[in-house]
Amino acid sequence: MRAIASDFFATSPLMAGPQIAMLIFLAIFVLVAVRIARGGARQWDAAARLPLEDEKESRHE
């Protein structure tokens, strides 16, 4: 049974879908990683300070 299944999946056109999905995921992952890596230090410093700000500063009353 295993040989029949492996032959079917080796020649099945349905196997292109997961491969294409993996390539799309990989491309998006690389693009996001490059964008994050190219971001300036000021952007990350500001984001890192957000939890430390006073509540009065972050509220707009």
Side-chain angles (χ1 to χ4, degrees):
M1 181 70 177
R2 187 174 190 166
I4 295 171
S6 66
D7 288 340
F8 172 73
F9 286 119
T11 59
S12 175
L14 296 176
M15 293 307 291
Q19 292 173 350
I20 292 170
M22 180 59 103
L23 290 175
I24 292 170
F25 170 78
L26 182 64
I28 291 172
F29 181 83
V30 168
L31 289 172
V32 169
V34 167
R35 182 170 177 164
I36 289 173
R38 294 179 77 188
R42 288 182 289 172
Q43 174 188 359
W44 297 114
D45 288 340
R49 281 193 300 273
L50 282 175
L52 303 175
E53 290 180 356
D54 279 342
E55 290 182 20
K56 292 179 184 177
E57 291 178 11
S58 62
R59 287 187 191 168
H60 300 288
E61 293 182 22

